[in-house]
Each structure stands twice: as structure tokens, then as C-alpha cells.
Amino acid sequence: MWRGAAAVCLDEEDRLLMVLQGTPEEEKKWAVPSGGKEAGETFETCCLRELKEETGYEGKVVRPLFVKSDGAVEVRYFEVVMTGGRMEVRDPDGLIHEIAWKAAAEISNLALSFPEDLPFLLSLFEESASSQTR
């Protein structure tokens, strides 16, 4: 089974950190920073390594959010807050083409690498908005 982790980062303006990814031969699509777990790595460590490689940002895992599994693939999504770094593509695989902060209204119109994640991603904005009105 392939295992990986994804970093879900919302900024103070309620925008989601996303990367435009794909091989040169395929259509580029948007996703949250994510990638495969290496031997001996925890899911949390994988999440933060992928965040750094794909975006240049450093972060801290706040909490687990969601596990997506279909029997062949397991991806664990974590809420992450930024602790440092700066926006720059450092992807050793050369699959990341752009980094951007996207508002909720923009995400519905993006070509997503994992379209099945859309309801989950949109729910994050709703959760963030409801926590700010308390």
C-alpha cells in the first residue's frame, strides 16, 4: 500500500496553501502540498518534509484532520501552521510548478489533482469561519 501525508494550511486571510503539480506531459492540477512517506518516517514528519520541499515553508502539525484510504492508497491530512521559511519551489521531483494561496471561492473553479477532496477542503473554510464568529 502506498502511504503519504498532506499539509492543510490556512493563512490569516482564510486562504488555503496549494501547489500546481504535474509532469511535463500531463495537465497541471492543483492540490495541497503532499507526498509519499519514506521508510522510518512518521506521517507527521512526512507532512512537514513535503510542505518544505514543495513550498519552502516550515510548519508545525496542529492536529490530524482526515484519512483518505481506498485499500491501495492511504493519505493522512494534517492541519499545519506556518513557523518559518519562504515561498519557493524546492521539489526534488520537479513536479511542482507554482505555489499560491487560494480563497474558498477560487477552489471550486480549479482543476484539482484529487477532485474528491473538494468537499473536505471547502469544509475547512466553513470550520474556520465558524470558529472566528465565536
Side-chain angles (χ1 to χ4, degrees), residues 5-56:
V8 177
C9 312
L10 286 173
D11 70 4
E12 61 282 345
E13 296 174 37
D14 254 1
R15 298 175 303 171
L16 181 65
L17 182 63
M18 299 192 79
V19 293
L20 186 63
Q21 62 183 18
T23 65
E25 302 81 37
E26 63 188 10
E27 177 190 355
K28 311 298 183 277
K29 295 185 178 179
W30 291 94
V32 294
S34 60
K37 192 167 149 316
E38 295 178 353
E41 218 175 24
T42 66
F43 283 99
E44 291 86 347
T45 304
C46 171
C47 174
L48 297 177
R49 177 183 49 78
E50 290 291 342
L51 174 69
K52 179 77 171 168
E53 286 179 1
E54 294 186 358
T55 71

Side-chain angles (χ1 to χ4, degrees), residues 65-79:
L65 291 172
F66 176 68
V67 177
K68 181 169 65 174
S69 180
D70 66 4
V73 173
E74 176 185 353
V75 180
R76 297 188 186 186
Y77 291 71
F78 295 93
E79 179 181 353

